[in-house]
Amino acid sequence: MAALNGAVENGQPERRALPRPLRSLEVKYTKIFINNEWHESTSGKKFPTYNPSTLEKICDIEEGDKPDVDNAVEAAKAAFQRGAPWRQMDALSRGRLLHKLADLLERDRVILAVGFPPGVVNIVPGYGPTAGAAISTHHSIDKIAFTGSTKVGKLIKEAASKSNLKRVTLELGGKNPCIVCADADLDLAVECAHQGVFFNQGQCCTAASRVFVEEQIYPEFVKRSVEYAKKRLVGDPFDARTEQGPQIDQKQFDKILELIESGKKEGAKLECGGLAIEDRGLFIKPTVFSEVTDNMRIAKEEIFGPVQPIMKFKNIEEVIRRANSTEYGLTAAVFTKNLDRALTLASALQSGTVWINCYNALYAQAPFGGFKMSGNGRELGEYALAEYTEVKTVTIKLSQKSP
C-alpha cells in the first residue's frame, strides 16, 4: 500500500488541530455499564485511578469481578436472541449506530444517547486476574480480542482452550526493527525513527525500538537523533505545546528506568536522557543509546518507554538476520531510495506490517497484526471481519421432478 496522500504525508501521519483540553473536566461516570444502566460492583469494591503527571487521585472506579461479568454476558445474550431489536436491525442501521458511537466517544463518552438496544454495549472495568479471568474462562463468550502483553495473551489462550474453545485474536508486544540504509533520505529517516519510538511516551506496541543504521551514515544518524531527542518538549499533557507526557503508572516508570540502567551497565553509550525528571510526576527524559549490541537487554526486551537504541549494520543479509532474531514480529520499517532493496527487505522481514519510507502509517483498510509472539489474527481491513463471522454450509436436496 503506497503512503502518498491523506493519512500520511512525507512519511509522517497527518497532524490535525486538536481541541483545547479541559483541565477541570468533571468525572461523571465511574460505575459499571450493563444493559443500558449504571451499576455499582457486586462486591462493593472500587479501585483508584491517578493522574501520572501529578500523582494525584482522579477518582475511584467500580471494580468489576466475575458476578459483574456474568451479568454483562446475560445482558448481551438477551440482546442477541432471535427477535430482539438488535437482531432485527439491518447492517446499515447497525453501522450508523457504531459510527455515531465512535464520534460521541471521541467527544464526551456518551453511550445511552446513541440508541443502542439494552445489552448490546456493556462495560465492566476491573483487573486482569479477576474480571479478565472471568471473561477468558466464560462458557457463554464466543470471541475475545485482546491487546496487551505476550504473557497475558498466553494466559487468555490457555483459558479459552480450557473453557469453550472461544475464538481469540491477540495483538501483543513488539521489538520492532527500523532499518535505515545508507541511501535513505536521512532527514526523513531520522524524523520518522524519532516519532516512531517516542510517540505516546514510547508506550506503543509499534514503537521503533530497534533502529538499525548502515555503518556509513551511523555517526550522522546518531548525531541528528540526539538533536531531535534533546529538543523534544516533555511536560503537561494538557499543554498543546507538549510532545511527551508522563508514563502510565509507577510500575512502568520503574521498569523503564531499570532497563535504562541495564543499558549503561552492559556497555551501550548513553547519548542523552537516561534520567527521570525529578520535580514532578512520572516523567522520563527522552533517551538515546548508541553502540548498542544485539545481546543487550535494551535491544531484546520491549521497553515501552521513551528509549531509542541505535545499532549499526554492514549489509542487507546481516540486517535481515538480526532484525528477525527476536520472538516478536509486529511491525518493521525500511528507509531506502532503492525499490529493489525495499522490496527485498519487505519480503524477508518476519513482521505483520512493513512500512517503506514512513512509520505508523495505519489505514482502516490495511490489516494489522503480528507474526510469532506478537499475536495472531488481524485487526482492520476485510481480514478483521473474518474473525467475527462463522462460515455455515447449507445443502438442499432438490426435487428431481421436472418443473
Side-chain angles (χ1 to χ4, degrees):
M1 172 171 280
L4 297 176
N5 300 307
V8 172
E9 181 80 17
N10 295 327
Q12 284 297 315
E14 182 183 31
R15 292 171 182 166
R16 300 176 182 176
L18 297 174
R20 185 180 297 276
L22 300 176
R23 291 182 179 272
S24 57
L25 181 66
E26 179 188 358
V27 179
K28 296 180 179 179
Y29 306 110
T30 62
K31 295 184 178 182
I32 296 170
F33 187 75
I34 298 174
N35 220 29
N36 280 12
E37 296 175 341
W38 296 103
H39 301 266
E40 295 180 351
S41 64
T42 304
S43 67
K45 293 181 180 178
K46 302 175 187 284
F47 63 88
T49 184
Y50 294 92
N51 180 350
S53 294
T54 62
L55 301 183
E56 296 173 350
K57 187 167 76 170
I58 299 172
C59 62
D60 290 307
I61 307 292
E62 297 292 329
E63 182 184 335
D65 206 330
K66 186 179 184 304
D68 305 294
V69 170
D70 290 341
N71 292 338
V73 171
E74 288 304 311
K77 286 174 63 178
F80 281 78
Q81 290 295 314
R82 292 183 62 191
W86 183 252
R87 287 292 294 269
Q88 293 180 321
M89 197 178 293
D90 59 40
L92 180 61
S93 299
R94 290 184 181 184
R96 285 172 175 163
L97 278 178
L98 289 169
H99 280 289
K100 188 176 180 182
L101 174 61
D103 291 340
L104 292 177
L105 279 174
E106 288 181 350
R107 192 189 75 186
D108 54 14
R109 297 188 175 274
V110 172
I111 296 176
L112 288 170
V114 178
F116 279 92
V120 175
V121 178
N122 301 287
I123 302 172
V124 182
Y127 291 108
T130 50
I135 291 171
S136 301
T137 58
H138 208 291
H139 283 262
S140 294
I141 292 178
D142 299 320
K143 168 71 169 66
I144 290 178
F146 173 76
T147 299
S149 70
T150 298
K151 179 181 178 181
V152 175
K154 287 181 175 181
L155 292 174
I156 292 172
K157 273 270 192 178
E158 181 181 5
S161 69
K162 290 181 177 180
S163 53
N164 62 339
L165 286 176
K166 60 177 62 65
R167 192 178 298 183
V168 177
T169 53
L170 302 171
E171 199 267 87
L172 307 176
K175 192 65 179 172
N176 310 293
C178 178
I179 299 170
V180 182
C181 300
D183 70 331
D185 179 331
L186 197 56
D187 289 334
L188 175 65
V190 169
E191 181 181 3
C192 286
H194 173 85
Q195 298 294 346
V197 73
F198 291 112
F199 170 74
N200 201 39
Q201 298 74 248
Q203 298 170 148
C204 185
C205 57
T206 64
S209 56
R210 287 189 300 152
V211 183
F212 293 94
V213 181
E214 202 160 2
E215 59 183 3
Q216 299 97 301
I217 61 169
Y218 186 83
E220 183 63 21
F221 185 94
V222 171
K223 175 176 172 288
R224 297 193 194 185
S225 296
V226 171
E227 291 171 355
Y228 259 90
K230 287 182 175 179
K231 290 188 295 184
R232 192 169 186 85
L233 186 60
V234 181
D236 182 2
F238 287 98
D239 187 331
R241 297 169 298 176
T242 295
E243 296 178 277
Q244 180 177 313
Q247 307 311 131
I248 186 62
D249 60 24
Q250 188 71 50
K251 182 180 179 181
Q252 184 61 24
F253 176 83
D254 293 340
K255 176 190 173 185
I256 296 165
L257 290 178
E258 192 264 331
L259 279 166
I260 288 173
E261 286 304 310
S262 78
K264 298 176 186 177
K265 292 176 181 177
E266 291 178 346
K269 182 181 179 183
L270 179 64
E271 297 282 354
C272 66
L275 297 169
I277 298 176
E278 299 289 352
D279 62 340
R280 41 192 150 152
L282 305 177
F283 295 90
I284 295 175
K285 293 180 180 180
T287 300
V288 177
F289 280 104
S290 66
E291 305 304 327
V292 178
T293 57
D294 295 353
N295 63 320
M296 295 178 182
R297 288 182 62 195
I298 58 173
K300 296 188 297 183
E301 298 180 28
E302 186 178 31
I303 302 172
F304 229 62
V307 182
Q308 184 180 43
I310 308 177
M311 298 167 276
K312 68 177 69 170
F313 71 93
K314 295 179 182 293
N315 56 62
I316 296 301
E317 289 305 315
E318 174 204 332
V319 78
I320 290 172
R321 174 181 54 79
R322 292 171 62 194
N324 287 337
S325 296
T326 174
E327 64 181 8
Y328 297 113
L330 189 57
T331 67
V334 176
F335 289 87
T336 178
K337 295 176 182 176
N338 185 303
L339 183 60
D340 286 343
R341 185 179 295 120
L343 293 177
T344 296
L345 284 162
S347 176
L349 292 170
Q350 296 169 359
S351 299
T353 294
V354 180
W355 293 302
I356 308 295
N357 295 327
C358 56
Y359 209 91
N360 277 338
L362 300 171
Y363 296 84
Q365 306 96 320
F368 180 81
F371 289 11
K372 301 188 283 189
M373 301 286 271
S374 286
N376 49 45
R378 290 296 180 267
E379 299 171 355
L380 307 178
E382 188 175 350
Y383 284 92
L385 300 178
E387 307 290 351
Y388 293 88
T389 56
E390 293 282 12
V391 177
K392 178 185 288 186
T393 299
V394 178
T395 304
I396 302 176
K397 182 181 183 301
L398 300 176
S399 171
Q400 296 180 357
K401 295 181 180 179
S402 299

